[in-house]
């Protein structure tokens, strides 16, 4: 599956420029990228998905070509921003797919706006357990902005980016995701981008790990089709978090992809697009019912949830690439 660049469009909402790609036709599919990335992380799968769906892939505020103001970078703020973007684009309902931090935004969007969410897919998502790579936790430290300013000086940055890309090209599992890390590192040369990312991370991570969790509201997914996709060799957020999702939302479809890291949609784009299509084809879009939502809220979570090991996911299918 070849990767090409798609036309980036812009719209100003609340005084801030929002960049996005919109291609295809059919039911709407909202693709939310992860921390430090932008819509380009989805480029390998956009065309395959656009054959059947209207694909909207935005640059979240503080990322890519979108504005990087001193603003609200909370997960709830991002969910509001996606609602407003979809409203401007005259799209009422979407299937939302979120990768990494974008998965947290997807969860929040589905929680805040269930009437506008038909399905939710989480890809190597945050919000399913506390563990996260030390590199992300480091962003919350007081000296991050200054240190990264030095590390992104032209000469230093060029060497660092080249080293990361070379390590990624070795094909080793441990270095698989370093090409994407190199792109994130390159983006940190912009001090506004660094400041925005630090605000984002501080809202969801502290020195102990992830703060935001879907555990207390996962029961609400009972009213909405949910899928979870993970790369078995993920070194950013452990693949065992997929089993947490299985325990929290027993009706969710779980796919663990062998020979894939933190970016399974880039490691195996054809397989990923097929998973998305099969899931959408075999599920009915959620229909919002205030009465059902009220009942779920009143009943709440039934019993405690204990995380289980990934090997115990009986319904997860380890797909092959």
């Amino acid at each position: 599956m070849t990767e090409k660049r798609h036309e980036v469009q812009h719209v100003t909402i609340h005084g801030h420029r929002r960049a996005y790609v919109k291609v295809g036709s059919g039911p709407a599919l909202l693709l939310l990228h992860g921390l430090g990335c932008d819509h380009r992380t989805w480029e390998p799968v956009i065309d395959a998905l656009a054959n059947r769906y209207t694909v909207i892939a935005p640059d979240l505020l503080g990322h890519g070509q979108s504005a990087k103001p001193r603003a609200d970078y909370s997960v709830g703020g991002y969910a509001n921003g996606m609602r407003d973007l979809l409203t401007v684009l005259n799209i009422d309902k979407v299937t939302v797919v979120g990768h990494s931090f974008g998965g947290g935004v997807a969860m929040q969007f589905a929680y805040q706006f269930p009437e506008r969410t038909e399905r939710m897919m989480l890809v190597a998502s945050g919000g399913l357990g506390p563990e996260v790579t030390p590199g992300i936790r480091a962003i919350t430290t007081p000296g991050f902005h200054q240190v990264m300013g030095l590390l992104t000086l032209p000469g230093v940055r060029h060497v660092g980016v080249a080293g990361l890309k070379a390590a990624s090209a070795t094909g080793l599992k441990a270095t698989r995701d370093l090409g994407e890390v190199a792109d994130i590192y390159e983006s940190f040369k912009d001090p506004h981008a660094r400041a925005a990312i630090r605000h984002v991370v501080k809202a969801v991570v502290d020195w102990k790990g992830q703060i935001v969790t879907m555990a207390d509201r996962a029961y609400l997914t009972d009213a909405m089709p949910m899928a979870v996709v993970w790369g078995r060799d993920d070194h950013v957020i452990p693949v065992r978090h997929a089993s947490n999702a299985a325990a929290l939302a027993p009706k969710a479809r779980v796919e663990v992809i062998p020979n894939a890291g933190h970016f399974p949609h880039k490691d195996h784009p054809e397989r990923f697009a097929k998973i998305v299509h099969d899931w959408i084809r075999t599920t009915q879009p959620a229909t919002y019912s205030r009465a059902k939502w009220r009942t779920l809220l009143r009943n709440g979570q039934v019993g405690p949830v204990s995380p289980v090991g990934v090997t115990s996911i009986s319904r997860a299918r380890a797909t092959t690439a």
Side-chain angles (χ1 to χ4, degrees):
M1 188 177 296
T2 59
E3 177 181 338
K4 74 174 185 181
R5 294 289 184 256
H6 294 84
E7 179 187 2
V8 179
Q9 303 179 60
H10 301 89
V11 63
T12 298
I13 303 175
H14 308 312
H16 303 312
R17 186 178 74 164
R18 307 271 183 163
Y20 66 94
V21 164
K22 181 174 179 285
V23 293
S25 61
L29 198 60
L30 176 64
L31 306 181
L32 303 178
H33 63 77
L35 186 72
C37 301
D38 56 37
H39 73 276
R40 292 175 297 173
T41 192
W42 300 110
E43 288 284 6
V45 298
I46 285 178
D47 284 338
L49 296 174
N51 288 332
R52 296 184 174 97
Y53 314 107
T54 299
V55 176
I56 306 100
D59 288 352
L60 296 174
L61 200 68
H63 296 72
Q65 297 183 38
S66 287
K68 301 168 182 65
R70 187 173 185 272
D72 179 7
Y73 289 110
S74 67
V75 177
Y78 275 118
N80 291 340
M82 292 303 96
R83 173 204 58 193
D84 296 341
L85 175 63
L86 293 173
T87 299
V88 169
L89 297 180
N90 199 32
I91 295 173
D92 293 327
K93 295 184 177 183
V94 296
T95 289
V96 59
V97 179
H99 171 248
S100 198
F101 173 74
V105 178
M107 293 179 211
Q108 190 69 22
F109 181 88
Y111 169 65
Q112 290 181 198
F113 311 113
E115 73 282 359
R116 304 191 68 164
T117 311
E118 295 185 331
R119 302 172 187 82
M120 176 176 68
M121 175 178 280
L122 307 177
V123 184
S125 177
L128 294 169
E131 297 87 0
V132 68
T133 180
I136 292 179
R137 292 201 303 269
I139 295 175
T140 66
T141 58
F144 166 79
H145 189 82
Q146 292 76 14
V147 171
M148 191 54 65
L150 296 174
L151 292 177
T152 53
L153 290 172
V156 178
R157 186 179 75 251
H158 294 155
V159 171
V161 168
L164 289 169
K165 288 187 177 293
S168 175
T170 63
L172 299 174
K173 291 181 180 181
T175 61
R176 177 195 308 278
D177 296 326
L178 293 184
E180 193 81 18
V181 172
D183 292 337
I184 296 171
Y185 179 19
E186 179 74 27
S187 74
F188 280 173
K189 66 185 179 184
D190 180 353
H192 298 292
R194 294 200 303 272
I197 293 301
R198 186 160 183 261
H199 282 299
V200 174
V201 175
K202 288 182 71 174
V204 295
V205 172
D206 64 14
W207 65 275
K208 293 182 178 179
Q210 295 186 57
I211 302 169
V212 177
T213 176
M214 71 171 289
D216 59 346
R217 287 169 284 180
Y219 65 91
L220 295 173
T221 60
D222 195 54
M224 182 183 301
M226 175 179 167
V228 177
V229 179
W230 228 282
R232 188 173 296 280
D233 304 322
D234 193 334
H235 292 285
V236 177
I237 302 178
V239 65
R240 64 177 174 272
H241 287 198
S243 64
N244 294 353
L248 293 166
K251 294 182 180 180
R253 175 176 175 177
V254 179
E255 299 273 359
V256 176
I257 303 179
N259 195 32
H262 188 58
F263 301 86
H265 52 289
K266 300 191 76 171
D267 292 334
H268 299 292
E270 293 182 2
R271 172 61 61 181
F272 182 85
K274 184 178 185 298
I275 289 171
V276 172
H277 175 60
D278 288 348
W279 171 61
I280 292 177
R281 179 179 56 83
T282 57
T283 56
Q284 291 297 316
T287 301
Y288 176 68
S289 165
R290 183 173 296 177
K292 184 172 183 178
W293 201 255
R294 182 185 301 114
T295 299
L296 286 170
L297 288 168
R298 284 176 173 171
N299 292 340
Q301 181 73 49
V302 180
V305 175
S306 299
V308 293
V310 70
T311 55
S312 68
I313 306 176
S314 60
R315 65 189 168 284
R317 297 200 315 234
T319 60
T320 56

